[in-house]
């Protein structure tokens, strides 16, 4: 009787109890449960069933998704640093502070949701994974030591480059998922990242062009123009 109850319990919780080293195969869960629960002795020690939520080609994108998560977390702190820079009494740019804080929160929340998604597919998330490497140009821009000296316009261009970089990586993962024939990953990447990245990139590009245009207009005070643009960002 005890063994029957234990088998029933294992069949309910088996989704998250398999060893990561075991490759999910068709029928593996059913076969392992049937094998372990087929004995008649109550004293038999049951093995963990070969059951998990792993399926399709997720294993082909798992490592890249981990890199994507860590990169998002890293970028979140970079946005937060820029937000703090514009929020101090010297810079006093609450609009830019709000913009970069929004980008920081967005990047952080999306990384949390992606972690939940990865674990829902039966895989672990290793936050010690190295993030994606930026290009030499972008890497120099993201040096935290340059933030105290970064201008409003340069901060927008940096945010744009960071978003473009992540958007390209999302496209790369989407392509890998397509080759692996994992439709669920394709759908998740499209709905969570691809469309949103396009909107964010378009918005930041508009901000850059607008700020550059008004600060370079002949006869317009650059500091006043930047102040007015900051007020616009604050109310946007």
């Amino acid at each position: 009787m005890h063994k029957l109850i234990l088998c029933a319990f294992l069949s309910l919780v088996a989704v998250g109890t398999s060893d990561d080293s075991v490759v999910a195969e068709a029928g593996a869960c059913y076969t392992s449960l049937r094998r372990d629960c087929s004995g008649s002795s109550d004293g038999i020690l049951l093995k963990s069933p070969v059951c998990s939520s792993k399926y399709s080609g997720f294993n082909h994108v798992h490592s890249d998704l981990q890199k994507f998560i860590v990169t998002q977390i890293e970028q979140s702190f970079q946005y937060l640093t820029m937000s703090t820079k514009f929020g101090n009494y010297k810079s006093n740019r609450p609009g830019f502070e709000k913009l970069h804080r929004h980008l920081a929160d967005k990047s952080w929340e999306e990384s949390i949701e992606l972690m939940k998604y990865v674990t829902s597919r039966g895989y672990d998330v290793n936050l010690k994974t190295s993030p994606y490497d930026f290009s030499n140009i972008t890497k120099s821009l993201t040096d935290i030591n340059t933030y105290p000296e970064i201008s409003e316009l340069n901060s927008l261009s940096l945010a744009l480059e960071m978003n473009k970089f992540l958007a390209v990586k999302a496209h790369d993962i989407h392509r890998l998922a397509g080759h692996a024939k994992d439709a669920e990953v394709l759908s998740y990447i499209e709905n969570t990242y691809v469309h949103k990245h396009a909107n964010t990139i378009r918005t930041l590009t508009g901000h850059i062009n607008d700020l550059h245009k008004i600060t370079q207009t002949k006869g317009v005070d650059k500091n006043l123009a930047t102040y007015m643009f900051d007020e616009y960002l604050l109310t946007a």
Side-chain angles (χ1 to χ4, degrees):
M1 181 64 181
H2 292 86
K3 184 178 178 182
L4 179 61
I5 295 174
L6 183 55
C7 284
F9 174 74
L10 286 173
S11 66
L12 290 174
V13 302
V15 170
T17 58
S18 70
D19 188 341
D20 284 340
S21 64
V22 177
V23 178
E25 298 178 356
C29 178
Y30 174 78
T31 301
S32 65
L33 283 173
R34 184 178 181 183
R35 179 196 63 221
D36 292 338
C37 297
S38 60
S40 59
S41 173
D42 290 342
I44 294 178
L45 179 62
L46 299 181
K47 298 179 181 179
S48 296
V50 187
C51 300
S52 75
S53 57
K54 298 177 182 178
Y55 68 97
S56 194
F58 193 88
N59 58 304
H60 295 289
V61 298
H62 178 221
S63 60
D64 281 277
L65 287 175
Q66 289 191 111
K67 282 180 173 289
F68 198 90
I69 289 170
V70 176
T71 302
Q72 280 192 301
I73 294 174
E74 182 183 70
Q75 287 195 357
S76 176
F77 281 102
Q78 290 168 339
Y79 289 130
L80 192 60
T81 302
M82 285 193 285
S83 175
T84 303
K85 188 271 179 190
F86 289 111
N88 62 38
Y89 73 95
K90 289 184 178 180
S91 298
N92 192 26
R93 293 284 188 244
F96 283 88
E97 177 190 11
K98 175 186 174 183
L99 172 65
H100 290 296
R101 182 56 186 262
H102 168 72
L103 292 173
D105 291 343
K106 175 175 172 290
S107 186
W108 179 266
E109 291 167 2
E110 287 179 351
S111 69
I112 298 298
E113 290 303 313
L114 184 53
M115 279 189 270
K116 292 179 181 178
Y117 174 69
V118 171
T119 55
S120 75
R121 293 296 301 269
Y123 288 79
D124 294 331
V125 176
N126 181 12
L127 294 180
K128 293 183 179 180
T129 302
S130 299
Y132 285 116
D133 290 330
F134 289 105
S135 66
N136 291 332
I137 296 177
T138 311
K139 195 169 186 178
S140 64
L141 288 174
T142 55
D143 182 359
I144 196 170
N145 294 322
T146 67
Y147 286 170
E149 306 300 329
I150 197 169
S151 68
E152 293 84 357
L153 189 59
N154 284 340
S155 76
L156 291 176
S157 65
L158 174 55
L160 176 63
E161 293 301 327
M162 290 166 66
N163 270 274
K164 283 184 176 181
F165 178 83
L166 212 58
V168 171
K169 293 303 179 183
H171 289 185
D172 290 342
I173 295 174
H174 187 276
R175 185 176 63 255
L176 286 174
H179 292 324
K181 299 180 180 179
D182 195 316
E184 222 281 321
V185 174
L186 290 172
S187 176
Y188 184 87
I189 294 296
E190 289 173 3
N191 294 326
T192 307
Y193 294 107
V194 175
H195 307 310
K196 293 180 181 179
H197 279 157
N199 290 332
T200 302
I201 289 171
R202 181 170 59 251
T203 299
L204 289 173
T205 301
H207 288 339
I208 292 170
N209 290 328
D210 290 343
L211 181 58
H212 181 266
K213 184 180 296 184
I214 63 176
T215 54
Q216 298 301 315
T217 300
K218 186 176 181 179
V220 175
D221 182 86
K222 183 177 180 179
N223 291 327
L224 178 60
T226 303
Y227 170 78
M228 295 300 294
F229 190 81
D230 181 75
E231 289 293 303
Y232 162 74
L233 291 179
L234 188 60
T235 58

